[in-house]
Amino acid sequence: MNTNFLNSVTNFLKKRTFEFIGLILISTSIGLAIAFTTYSPDDPSFVYGDRDFEIKNFFGIYGSSIADFLLQSFGLVSFLLLVNFLSWGINLIVKKELKKIIFKLFLVICYLILGTVFIYITFNNSFWLIDNGNSGFVGKIGYDFLNSWFPWTNEIYTTYGLLLSTICLFILSSEISFRKIFLGFWFIIVSLFKRRNVEAQEDFSTNSLEEKNKIIEKPQQTFSFEEQDSIRDKNQARSKYKLPA
């Protein structure tokens, strides 16, 4: 009895802990998304902390510092981290588990490096991230390292390979099921079409009922001979009289 009670309490606490961590990850993803979208290069950060400017970031000095660190380090690839945190949080809340977390963190590091190198080769110039460009300083370091070992890094096939590798590693690390996403969109589309068909049928049925009611309420047309018969009956009724007693 005591063993079953302890097991149930342990499972309850374990599930609630996973759900709490999942909520933290989802909140972190949403918070980082807001910090990234309200980021300004003029805001103070870890590097430029002495400048007295009005902070434009939604979360103030903390949001600007964290956003500056991630964006200046990994550039635009940092936005993929938001999807990772969101996916992990949803899996923890729904499935109450997160398998192979160390392996997934390794995949995250790999796709961050490959993604920054790809951006550094293709479109690194930026008017938003003016210090290190769209790839961050990790992109430059990774490109120099790969170019020293593989001189054909700038070739077009290598560039496409970097992009494909980044996408594959990102999907594996985030556990995104495109099949479920497709089925969800398909279910929404089918439900919308069914709802429109039902509304159209209801409108048609109401219109037909209204037409029937109008037809029923419409008085019947009288013909000329019917009017003559009615006048004749009235005259006959008037001509009848009773003899006195």
Side-chain angles (χ1 to χ4, degrees):
M1 182 68 181
N2 293 328
T3 304
N4 294 329
F5 177 75
L6 290 175
N7 290 332
S8 61
V9 171
T10 304
N11 292 327
F12 176 80
L13 294 176
K14 185 179 178 180
K15 291 179 180 179
R16 300 294 85 79
T17 303
F18 284 153
E19 291 176 354
F20 180 70
I21 297 173
L23 290 175
I24 291 176
L25 289 175
I26 294 174
S27 302
T28 303
S29 176
I30 297 172
L32 286 176
I34 297 172
F36 284 175
T37 53
T38 58
Y39 169 76
S40 175
D42 296 331
D43 289 341
S45 59
F46 292 115
V47 180
Y48 304 105
D50 296 333
R51 293 195 292 177
D52 297 328
F53 285 112
E54 182 182 359
I55 301 175
K56 299 178 182 179
N57 199 285
F58 182 81
F59 294 107
I61 184 63
Y62 301 104
S64 64
S65 299
I66 295 172
D68 183 78
F69 172 74
L70 291 174
L71 291 173
Q72 296 299 331
S73 300
F74 306 107
L76 299 179
V77 188
S78 301
F79 284 92
L80 297 180
L81 289 173
L82 310 182
V83 183
N84 273 115
F85 292 154
L86 182 64
S87 177
W88 292 348
I90 293 173
N91 285 331
L92 283 173
I93 293 175
V94 175
K95 298 180 180 180
K96 307 294 187 299
E97 62 180 359
L98 188 62
K99 299 179 180 179
K100 301 179 181 179
I101 184 63
I102 298 175
F103 178 69
K104 291 178 181 177
L105 291 175
F106 173 74
L107 294 178
V108 168
I109 295 172
C110 290
Y111 84 68
L112 285 175
I113 296 173
L114 296 178
T116 52
V117 173
F118 167 76
I119 293 176
Y120 183 82
I121 295 172
T122 53
F123 50 101
N124 188 42
N125 295 327
S126 175
F127 295 100
W128 183 43
L129 305 175
I130 56 177
D131 293 329
N132 295 300
N134 290 326
S135 64
F137 66 83
V138 175
K140 185 179 184 306
I141 295 172
Y143 172 77
D144 293 336
F145 176 78
L146 290 177
N147 195 28
S148 62
W149 288 90
F150 307 102
W152 57 85
T153 307
N154 288 323
E155 294 184 0
I156 186 170
Y157 297 107
T158 306
T159 305
Y160 289 144
L162 289 172
L163 177 61
L164 183 62
S165 300
T166 302
I167 295 173
C168 292
L169 293 174
F170 166 71
I171 293 172
L172 291 174
S173 64
S174 59
E175 288 187 349
I176 296 177
S177 179
F178 290 98
R179 179 176 175 272
K180 292 181 180 179
I181 295 173
F182 176 76
L183 290 176
F185 279 115
W186 180 255
F187 176 76
I188 293 171
I189 293 171
V190 171
S191 62
L192 289 175
F193 276 108
K194 285 183 178 179
R195 184 176 179 181
R196 290 181 180 177
N197 292 330
V198 170
E199 291 177 354
Q201 291 176 359
E202 290 178 354
D203 294 336
F204 179 75
S205 61
T206 53
N207 292 330
S208 61
L209 288 174
E210 289 178 357
E211 291 178 356
K212 288 180 180 179
N213 292 329
K214 289 181 180 178
I215 293 171
I216 293 171
E217 292 175 357
K218 186 176 180 180
Q220 188 176 1
Q221 185 178 1
T222 58
F223 299 95
S224 59
F225 62 86
E226 291 180 354
E227 293 178 354
Q228 293 176 0
D229 293 339
S230 62
I231 293 170
R232 190 181 301 162
D233 293 337
K234 289 180 181 179
N235 292 330
Q236 290 178 0
R238 289 176 183 178
S239 62
K240 288 181 180 180
Y241 59 92
K242 291 183 179 181
L243 293 174

